[in-house]
Amino acid sequence: MDFALPDIAAAAEGLKPLLDWRGVPVDLASLAALAAGLGWASGLRLYALVFVLGALARFGGVQLPGGLGVLAHPLVLGLSGLLLLVEFFADKLPWLDSAWDAVHTFIRIPAGAALAAAVMGDQGGALQVAMGLMGGTLAAGTHLAKAGARAAINTSPEPVSNVATSLGEDMFFAGGMWALVHQPLLFLAGLAVFFIVALLLIWALWKFIKRVFRRPPRPLAGA
């Protein structure tokens, strides 16, 4: 099967207005919205985010702001594409999804901070640090809510619920990215609601875990 690069470039041509900042006066508010979106998306689908941005920059002629241009490097594109495929399948298998999430606690959060900071690569160190802190916080909240929900689902593991939940997360990621580039104000409003729900979910899961560990052991039969 032959996939020509011109065909890929032609398909990406329609996406150029979504992320192309060339010749457009970009204010700090729009850059901050983008940084927030990248932080959120990193906690949910990090490799999909990196691959899509890099592919748009390399094949679609999209100019990414700040230091995000490095995502178009062939090494970054190849590795993120491979990990995207691995994550797509690992995320749909009971218990393997939770093990994958546990390992990625140490990857998604710093990656979200780094991507958010890179958005401000041309705006000075103070803004990079501020956006890095925000991006890392959003990535952490999204990741912990996702990992906690999947762990709760795995208490009664069966493939259908895991596959359905994972596909729902895929669609949620795609919808969130669409809103970020088409309706940033709508995205920010949705992000605020999502973060409140995520905090409530994390709090409820924490209470459940404490209850499980505080439960007294059952007495032995005949004791």
Side-chain angles (χ1 to χ4, degrees), residues 80-146:
S80 62
L82 174 63
L83 291 171
L84 167 59
L85 288 176
V86 174
E87 182 171 65
F88 180 82
F89 293 104
D91 196 62
K92 292 168 177 61
L93 298 176
W95 296 113
L96 180 57
D97 61 344
S98 289
W100 183 267
D101 284 337
V103 172
H104 280 76
T105 300
F106 306 100
I107 300 175
R108 290 173 182 154
I109 298 172
L115 289 173
V119 172
M120 296 294 183
D122 301 325
Q123 307 299 324
L127 282 173
Q128 289 183 57
V129 172
M131 291 302 101
L133 292 173
M134 179 185 71
T137 300
L138 290 171
T142 305
H143 166 73
L144 292 175
K146 164 186 161 53

Side-chain angles (χ1 to χ4, degrees), residues 1 21 33 56 76 101 114 122 127 143 174 209 218:
M1 193 177 295
W21 279 270
L56 286 175
V76 178
D101 284 337
D122 301 325
L127 282 173
H143 166 73
I209 291 171
R218 293 181 180 178

Side-chain angles (χ1 to χ4, degrees), residues 166-186:
S166 182
L167 290 174
E169 291 172 359
D170 293 334
M171 291 186 290
F172 188 48
F173 165 80
M177 293 305 295
W178 180 91
L180 174 62
V181 297
H182 282 95
Q183 300 289 338
L185 291 179
L186 177 63

Side-chain angles (χ1 to χ4, degrees), residues 202-212:
I202 293 170
W203 177 71
L205 289 170
W206 177 247
K207 286 184 65 177
F208 172 75
I209 291 171
K210 286 199 300 183
R211 241 186 350 257
V212 169

